[in-house]
Amino acid sequence: MAATTRILTVLVLVLALYCAIDPFHHSAIHDFPDFVSHKIDMPDWSVIPKDRDTDNLLQKSEVMFKNQVQGPESIAFDPWGRGPYTGIADGRIVFWDGEKWNDFAFTSSNRHFMQLVFSGDDSGRVLKYDPIAKKATVLIRNLQFPNGLSLSKDGSFFVFCDGLYGSLRRYWLKGEQVGTSEIFAILPGYPDNVRTNKDGEFWVAIHCHRTLYSRVSAKYPKLRNFLLKLPIPAKIQYLINIGGKLQGIVVKYSSEGKLVQILEDSEGKIVRAISEVEEKDGKLWMGSVLMPFIGVYNLA
């Protein structure tokens, strides 16, 4: 028994030393020497929606432009209905002219979002930019992975995704509560983007459901830091965090914050890792920062 205890103690010490120095750079965070894990607050399980799409309706989606666009994160159409336009992994914004993809604009190709997801960094902000004065104003500070913002139909508020908490937040632009923010809706999973449709409802892309693993690691940053230093690639760490497989989930909320509809491909057979959903002419156009295609679902 004593010999077994000594062996286990040595193995634990060796593992701890390996994780501390990561000599072969196999950990998920070896490219980020200043990486720090932060505690992430989570809503109580009792308030998280339990609704599911047991029919997996998103499996009826059509895959378009396969291997023509890598990582089409966001999708938009111009006022004349042309498009889609989308931002892809190499930093280009491209648009479809009906026959081929064309370059429209160029941005940064740096997408270090995984570091932000793993760390729980709270330096996120919501900013307002005045193009005439060329001045930016910070509206909200100390957010953990805010991502996606969309204006309400009447212009009285906007909502944005609180990515790691898993909620939509509302910021008031008019009325008695102007300049304040509040939780608009608790989501069934972790959001990536939000878009308003013509009826003033909000479509939210959910990249995965909540898991016990993600909840525990959010609550205990030291444990998360240790796990991320194990010789496990970032891709595998990400899959463990989301429950072992990529999923496709989109949800629709009313202008009052009520859950209206949920659509899923829980097995990721057709669409998965959805980062944005845009409704146009009775169809949902779904992009993904990880996939090489755009998914299209017919709402009719």
Side-chain angles (χ1 to χ4, degrees), residues 37-40 118 212-225 227 241:
S37 292
H38 301 265
K39 182 178 180 180
I40 304 169
F118 286 154
L212 180 60
Y213 180 91
S214 66
R215 191 175 185 87
V216 171
S217 63
K219 186 176 181 179
Y220 300 103
K222 290 184 178 179
L223 172 63
R224 183 178 354 124
N225 207 65
L227 294 171
N241 198 57

Side-chain angles (χ1 to χ4, degrees), residues 235-273:
K235 181 179 179 180
I236 303 302
Q237 289 277 11
Y238 173 71
L239 286 174
I240 294 171
N241 198 57
I242 68 173
K245 61 183 178 182
L246 297 174
Q247 311 148 42
I249 313 159
V250 298
V251 290
K252 182 169 69 172
Y253 282 84
S254 72
S255 58
E256 290 79 35
K258 303 296 182 182
L259 180 60
V260 175
Q261 188 175 11
I262 181 168
L263 300 168
E264 296 189 55
D265 181 350
S266 63
E267 299 174 358
K269 287 184 175 181
I270 307 297
V271 293
R272 48 202 175 272

